[in-house]
Amino acid sequence: MTARPMTGRKVLWALIAFFAIVAAVNAVFITLSLRTFPGVETDDAYRKGLAWDSELDAAAAQRALGWKVTVSWQSAAPASATGQEQAQVSGHITVRAEDRAGAALGGLAADITFRRAVHEGEDRHLALAETIPGLYAADVALPGSGDWRVIVRLRKAEKLLYRIDQRINVP
């Protein structure tokens, strides 16, 4: 048995086949990536980037206040449910605000935003009620358990005084 000689036509078809396979794999990856999370975390990032110095000034003013703000989550007893309702997780969120000396900070308007990093459209925003001076709380129903990013804002007369952004785990 004799080996066939390598001709220019065989090399041409081998190169075309190689690049066709590479292009097909790239097309599959591009299609899959465009159908999943787009990666956009914030709208209008350019303008927010220009305002970064004011964000740094606000953070410095917040640190100068010396406030201590803690967020805690308590899960509610699971209810017997079926289907779509079973994915809901209910609980109670509390935010305790104290000044530098440990005194309760009452009379503030408090709100909270729950965000999921891995799922779009599941954000929840709600106002917190002051139950006792310095303690703000609300009952919450979230679309699922896992890691949630919570953003708490404390205001007085519509002026933002304090903002905390942290992660909590909702079992």
Side-chain angles (χ1 to χ4, degrees):
M1 182 182 248
T2 61
R4 294 173 154 176
M6 182 64 79
T7 63
R9 184 171 289 185
K10 286 182 182 178
V11 171
L12 174 66
W13 283 112
L15 283 173
I16 290 173
F18 171 77
F19 284 109
I21 290 170
V22 169
V25 169
N26 285 341
V28 168
F29 284 147
I30 289 170
T31 303
L32 291 174
S33 68
L34 291 175
R35 289 184 181 168
T36 59
F37 181 65
V40 176
E41 179 70 24
T42 183
D43 294 328
D44 204 11
Y46 175 73
R47 290 190 193 279
K48 288 182 180 179
L50 291 177
W52 183 246
D53 285 341
S54 63
E55 292 283 332
L56 292 176
D57 293 340
Q62 180 174 310
R63 276 191 306 276
L65 289 173
W67 290 3
K68 181 181 176 190
V69 177
T70 55
V71 179
S72 60
W73 170 267
Q74 183 178 5
S75 294
S80 59
T82 59
Q84 190 79 6
E85 296 175 16
Q86 208 165 17
Q88 289 272 329
V89 177
S90 297
H92 189 75
I93 190 85
T94 57
V95 175
R96 181 175 303 280
E98 299 172 342
D99 66 7
R100 185 183 313 268
L105 290 167
L108 301 173
D111 65 84
I112 191 165
T113 302
F114 290 85
R115 290 198 176 140
R116 299 266 315 246
V118 294
H119 298 288
E120 277 190 83
E122 291 187 352
D123 295 356
R124 297 290 185 267
H125 181 80
L126 56 120
L128 300 173
E130 186 172 15
T131 56
I132 60 172
L135 186 66
Y136 305 87
D139 291 326
V140 184
L142 297 173
S145 61
D147 286 335
W148 284 85
R149 183 175 155 206
V150 292
I151 302 161
V152 178
R153 288 170 292 279
L154 301 174
R155 293 182 172 86
K156 187 157 205 153
E158 297 301 317
K159 181 182 179 198
L160 181 64
L161 298 176
Y162 199 88
R163 180 182 182 275
I164 185 172
D165 186 342
Q166 71 179 49
R167 295 196 183 275
I168 63 168
N169 185 281
V170 176

